[in-house]
Every structure is written in structure tokens, then in C-alpha cells.
Amino acid sequence: MTSSPTPAAATDAPASAALLERATRVIPGGVNSPVRAFRAVGGTPRFIAEASGPWLTDADGRRYVDLLCSWGPMILGHAHPDVLEAVRTAAAKGFSFGTPSENEVLLAEEIVSRIEPLEQVRLVSSGTEATMSAVRLARGATGRAVIVKFAGCYHGHVDALLAAAGSGVATLALPDSAGVPAEMTADTVVLPYNDVAALEATFAARGGEIAAVITEAAAGNMGVVPPAPGFTEALRRITREHGALLISDEVMTGFRCSKAGWYGLEGPYAGGAPDLFTFGKVMGGGFPAAAFGGSAELMSHLAPLGPVYQAGTLSGNPVATAAGLATLKGCTDDLYPRLEATAHTIADAASTALSAEGVAHTVQWAGSMFSVFFRDSAVTNYDEARDQDTTAYGRFFHSMLESGVHLPPSAFEAWFVSGAHDDEAVGQVVEALPAAARAAADGG
């Protein structure tokens, strides 16, 4: 199917356009993360000036219902009072110490308390750093080099893992990245997602070389593609049979799908828990914070206890950990049903509107995370995710944007809601959908 961007929609965003022009002089492409550039949908990216609850306000003063939620972290909504107070209190005591502090202990305790098999975590500053460190730990603990990943699963811009990735890479139609030497990916094996037979064949041929399999717990970076029934169990069984580790990347799903992330929905597994988990996004509450963790025995391979080196000047930053702790404290048992109810209201309305216009589509879920794929059958892997009408999505996106709803600017992304999405915000989304469906159906 076609994948070219749509032309820029007629819009009134002069302040954003001016900021983009300035930005392109000093920032490559005018953005600091590629998907923000709107290259997949065309038009001018909105420069956001402020956000509150479920709302974004751009530099031109236009307000949008936010279905990005900063790509997941803003699970309670923007500038939530409890998080804001925690940040103010922490910042008043100092921004960064370069020493241990109680806040990082409190956040680590909260994370460990939520996932039963997790015993220890190491705090870092980004999801990329978390997955990079987990891979290094797996290699150090096993004495092996080969890493297996799945096409369409994105684990940050780590050289060894930036192969056949989804999300921003799919958006830019770059299956790999320039600047990554061949030797950096020589020990990376990329397999089709949800394909147990391919995994078994790979381990049969190279099982003694494989340090770990890394997978998104439920894929969200090629759009939401959950693991097929039994897939995670198969990953656990096969890795254990061959002495390899299983790394579950919950940077996106962690504490978003449930209090215990995707593991809380699908686990525990008959074959045992993953050996390592990685976290980010929600656990930082909008600040740069991430983590990786596993059993105390496995984590003891890390310096200063063991030979696997990992460090970070801002790891466990007192302000970021305060924001993360306040956010997780707000992720109570009653929050998750509300998120799912809100998400289903929006997704059901989108499906109804698209069906009324005869637009092929399918909706897929991971907890309250969902994606609307512009194709008429389920998506189980990256090739199927790419086989959708992204041009129709671009028309749909711009119609929603003009109606005051900010969707992900790529068909290869998840939609997110927050606990702050109230009747007014949801009503604005639902009201905008019929016109957007007509725009998607219009191939002209």
C-alpha cells in the first residue's frame, strides 16, 4: 500500500511555522526526535507552549486534546498537582547531587514492589540507556555475544539493536541507520515477531552463542501488536533450554498497561519470569528516568559488585525520581479501569466512524494502549504493520488536528489516554471523528 506523506493540510499555525524555520537553522530537521517532524503525515509540527490535564496549547494559542501523552509518560495528565508539588519540593532542595539520595531508593522500592519477580533495579536516564545496559549485562553474565531481537520492536537507538526497528525508523523508511558499522550488528539476529518456528530454528543453529532474546513485552513501536497467545511462554521456554536470558522491554508498557505493566496482564508465566525487565516513560512522570532490573543474583554482575560496568551522572536524579515516584503513587488500582474505559470510548467511536465511510481498519490493544491500523485484517508482525494505507492515515490525522485533537503523527504509533481525559476532552475527540473518517475515505 502507499506510504508517501500527504500534502500539508490548510491550517493556521504561523507561530509554529516560524519556530520550525528558526529551529531548522540550529537543530537537524528542526526537531530533537525524528517523528516530531511530521514527515510521515506532512504539514507543520505544532510547537507546544504549555499543557494541562488532557490539553496541549500550541504557540499560536490553539488548544488540542492530547492523545500522545508525551508518548506515554503522562498517564495522570499534564502538570498533575501531586507530581507538580513533588517536583517543586525536590527542586527546592537541589537539582542534582552526584551522590546517592533517598528519592532514588524510594522509586526503586516502588518499582520492585509492583512486579513480584523483580528484586533489584538500576536507575538510568532513558529507555535507550536501559536496554543498552540490559544487553551488556546479559552478555557479561552469560559470556556470550549474540542478541536476538524481532523486526518492528524498537529498543532505543542502540547501535546493536537499531536493525529492522519500528517507530521513528519505520516513519523515516530507514530499516537500518547510517553510522552503525557492520561489526556492531554482526552479533544481532533479527527475526519476525510472533514467529516461534523461526526462533526455534535460530536456537537450534546457534543456541550456544546467544546471550539473550530481547522483545517488547507487547510491541508498541510498529503500532500496538501484542504477543500472540503462547509467544512469551515460548520465548521463556526456548531461552531457558539454551542457557540464554530473556529481556522484556517494558519501557512503553511498564506501569501503563497495569500496575505491573504487561507482566501484570499476561504473567506469571509457567516457565518463569523474564530474566531482565527494562522500564521508562511512566516511571519518570515526564522527566528523564528509566530503569532495568532482575534478580539480585543477576544484578550483582553490575559494578560496583561485579565486572559489568554501567554508570550515569544523572542516574537517580532527585527531581526526576520525585516526579516518577509521585506518578507511580497516582497509578492506583482504580486508575487502570478508567484508562481502559476512556480508550475504548475513543477507539469504538473511531471504528464506527471509519466503518461508516467504508475505510478499512483494525484496532489493536495492549491494556489502554491502542492503535488504529488502516488495513482490514489483524497485524501480527512488522511486515503486516507496514501493509496499511498510511496516506489515508495522514488525511485522518490532519482532519483531527484541525478539529483540535493531536494524534500521533505516524501510523506506526500507539495512542495514549490519561486519567485527566474527562467528558469534555473525550467529547471533542468523538465529535471530530466523522469528518476525519470522511477525509480518510477521500482519496483525492
Side-chain angles (χ1 to χ4, degrees):
M1 293 186 181
T2 183
S3 60
S4 59
T6 59
T11 188
D12 182 24
S16 285
L19 282 167
L20 181 63
E21 183 179 2
R22 286 172 54 193
T24 55
R25 299 174 193 155
V26 291
I27 300 171
V31 295
N32 285 305
S33 192
V35 73
R36 302 176 191 175
F38 275 33
R39 296 293 177 87
V41 293
T44 301
R46 300 304 189 264
F47 280 66
I48 302 303
E50 61 180 293
S52 178
W55 303 99
L56 301 172
T57 303
D58 71 11
D60 292 284
R62 291 193 60 189
R63 194 170 77 152
Y64 306 87
V65 180
D66 180 18
L67 294 181
L68 287 172
C69 293
S70 191
W71 306 98
M74 312 315 301
I75 193 168
L76 304 181
H78 294 281
H80 188 278
D82 293 346
V83 180
L84 190 57
E85 179 58 30
V87 168
R88 285 172 171 159
T89 299
K93 297 178 181 179
F95 302 158
S96 180
F97 306 141
T99 69
S101 69
E102 185 180 14
N103 273 2
E104 58 197 287
V105 180
L106 292 170
L107 180 57
E109 288 174 338
E110 180 67 23
I111 292 170
V112 167
S113 74
R114 286 170 171 258
I115 300 176
E116 189 275 330
L118 194 64
E119 293 180 339
Q120 292 188 346
V121 293
R122 175 63 65 84
L123 301 183
V124 293
S125 297
S126 72
T128 292
E129 201 178 343
T131 57
M132 174 185 72
S133 302
V135 165
R136 181 181 300 162
L137 176 55
R139 284 171 162 161
T142 63
R144 301 173 178 179
V146 175
I147 300 295
V148 175
K149 72 174 294 285
F150 298 101
C153 287
Y154 177 71
H155 306 288
H157 57 99
V158 182
D159 281 358
L161 300 178
L162 199 58
S167 193
V169 176
T171 296
L172 294 176
L174 297 173
D176 300 298
S177 175
V180 178
E183 57 267 27
M184 297 301 293
T185 56
D187 288 323
T188 302
V189 176
V190 182
L191 300 178
Y193 187 63
N194 276 323
D195 190 335
V196 175
L199 186 69
E200 288 179 328
T202 297
F203 269 90
R206 304 185 66 181
E209 305 171 60
I210 298 171
V213 172
I214 185 169
T215 183
E216 287 189 78
N221 286 286
M222 52 177 144
V224 174
V225 183
F231 183 64
T232 309
E233 289 277 13
L235 297 182
R236 176 68 291 180
R237 172 181 58 81
I238 295 166
T239 51
R240 183 151 287 170
E241 286 173 354
H242 292 269
L245 302 187
L246 176 60
I247 304 171
S248 181
D249 183 349
E250 293 232 31
V251 167
M252 183 175 288
T253 56
F255 319 113
R256 163 61 74 169
C257 290
S258 77
K259 285 184 71 174
W262 183 259
Y263 183 82
L265 295 182
E266 192 180 55
Y269 305 109
D275 298 288
L276 289 168
F277 294 84
T278 63
F279 306 103
K281 298 188 186 295
V282 167
M283 63 155 284
F287 281 74
F292 65 101
S295 69
E297 189 281 327
L298 183 55
M299 296 298 283
S300 71
H301 289 268
L302 288 172
L305 299 177
V308 178
Y309 190 74
Q310 182 277 326
T313 299
L314 296 179
S315 296
N317 175 271
V319 181
T321 51
L325 181 63
T327 297
L328 290 185
K329 291 292 189 183
C331 292
T332 56
D333 288 330
D334 68 333
L335 173 68
Y336 295 97
R338 288 194 288 120
L339 294 176
E340 291 197 25
T342 299
H344 275 278
T345 296
I346 292 171
D348 290 349
S351 185
T352 297
L354 291 167
S355 294
E357 298 298 329
V359 178
H361 68 282
T362 188
V363 182
Q364 297 193 177
W365 295 90
S368 64
M369 291 168 43
F370 68 97
S371 289
V372 181
F373 291 97
F374 279 65
R375 54 176 275 142
D376 59 6
S377 57
V379 174
T380 64
N381 57 45
Y382 187 35
D383 284 343
E384 291 172 355
R386 290 187 294 180
D387 183 26
Q388 62 171 310
D389 191 346
T390 56
T391 303
Y393 179 83
R395 295 192 297 269
F396 182 82
F397 170 86
H398 278 289
S399 178
M400 294 295 285
L401 193 68
E402 288 301 304
S403 295
V405 179
H406 204 311
L407 301 178
S410 166
F412 297 95
E413 297 292 353
W415 300 24
F416 298 97
V417 298
S418 77
H421 281 72
D422 55 14
D423 290 345
E424 181 188 1
V426 173
Q428 184 162 317
V429 176
V430 171
E431 185 177 347
L433 285 166
R438 288 193 293 273
D442 180 11

